[in-house]
Amino acid sequence: MKRIVAILALLFWLQPAQAGELAQGLSAYRAGNYGVAVALLKPLAQAGDPWAQYSLAVAYDDGLGVPRNFKLALEWYKRAGYQGLADAQYMAGRFYGNGRGVRQDPAKALFWFELAAAGGFPLAPLLRDQHYNQLKEAIRLRVSAEATEWQARNPQQMNCKFKNCIYPKWTKRPMWFSIGDDQYYPGFQ
C-alpha cells in the first residue's frame, strides 16, 4: 500500500513539473529563445505530450531553434493530431492540401480537416468542404468513414481555444468569436 501511495505521489509531483516545462518552453519560444524552447519542448514531445508535439512541429515548420524540416514538422503535427489536438490536425490537413513538404493529397487533407472540424477548429470546416468537393464520391465516402471511425475510437478532442498556443508564421492564428452560447465564428488575429 505504501508503494502505491509513493507512486501516486510521484506521478502527481511530476505532472506540474512537465506543465511548468511546457510553459517555460512556450515562453522561451515567444521571447525568441528558440534553442532553449526546443530543448525544453523536445523531451516532452518525445514523452507524448500533444501540446509539446504541436509546438515542436511549429518550430520545425518555421525553422526556429532547429533547421526547417517540413517532413519532421508534419510528423510532429500528426503525432499531436492522433492524440486529438485539433490545431495539429488542421495543420496536417494544410500540409497535405498545399503539398507542403509532401506530395499534395486531397484525400489525406480531407481526413485531417474532418478531424479538425470535429475537434472545433474554426477554419477546418471551410477547407474540409473545399477538399470534399475536389474528390470523387467513392473517395469522399471512404475518407469520411475513416475519419468517423477514428473519432469513434478517439472521442477526446482538444484545441487551442482556451490555450495560448503558438502558430507557424505562414498561417494566421485563428480566433473564436462567440455568436451564441455554443456557436463560434472563425476569424483571424
Side-chain angles (χ1 to χ4, degrees):
M1 182 67 172
K2 288 182 182 180
R3 179 175 266 170
I4 292 172
V5 171
I7 290 171
L8 289 174
L10 180 63
L11 288 174
F12 285 118
W13 179 74
L14 286 176
Q15 188 65 25
Q18 286 184 336
E21 289 173 20
L22 178 63
Q24 288 175 343
L26 294 176
S27 293
Y29 194 92
R30 288 187 185 95
N33 299 322
Y34 303 114
V36 171
V38 168
L40 289 167
L41 294 170
K42 195 168 192 173
L44 297 174
Q46 290 170 332
D49 182 307
W51 304 102
Q53 290 171 340
Y54 173 77
S55 301
L56 187 60
V58 171
Y60 278 113
D61 197 353
D62 285 338
L64 298 172
V66 291
R68 177 176 265 173
N69 186 324
F70 294 142
K71 289 187 191 246
L72 281 175
L74 177 58
E75 180 61 33
W76 285 109
Y77 283 134
K78 287 170 37 178
R79 286 185 187 191
Y82 280 128
Q83 292 194 66
L85 184 55
D87 299 69
Q89 293 165 343
Y90 173 79
M91 292 307 298
R94 293 282 308 266
F95 267 60
Y96 283 115
N98 296 339
R100 188 171 175 87
V102 293
R103 203 177 94 216
Q104 195 171 17
D105 189 333
K108 287 183 181 176
L110 176 60
F111 173 80
W112 288 106
F113 288 136
E114 285 270 9
L115 299 184
F121 193 86
L123 305 174
L126 174 65
L127 291 176
R128 176 200 59 204
D129 294 347
Q130 288 175 354
H131 284 81
Y132 186 85
N133 291 326
Q134 292 176 10
L135 298 169
K136 294 181 180 179
E137 185 174 4
I139 296 171
R140 290 192 304 235
L141 293 174
R142 178 185 53 82
V143 171
S144 293
E146 289 171 1
T148 301
E149 283 177 29
W150 187 91
Q151 291 164 359
R153 289 189 315 269
N154 305 280
Q156 184 68 15
Q157 287 278 84
M158 308 169 276
N159 62 48
C160 290
K161 178 179 174 187
F162 298 111
K163 270 228 192 262
N164 199 9
C165 295
I166 57 175
Y167 289 90
K169 295 190 182 304
W170 65 275
T171 189
K172 296 181 183 214
R173 178 182 174 85
M175 296 294 293
W176 288 266
F177 297 103
S178 177
I179 56 174
D181 289 340
D182 61 349
Q183 297 175 328
Y184 293 89
Y185 175 77
F188 297 101
Q189 179 175 350

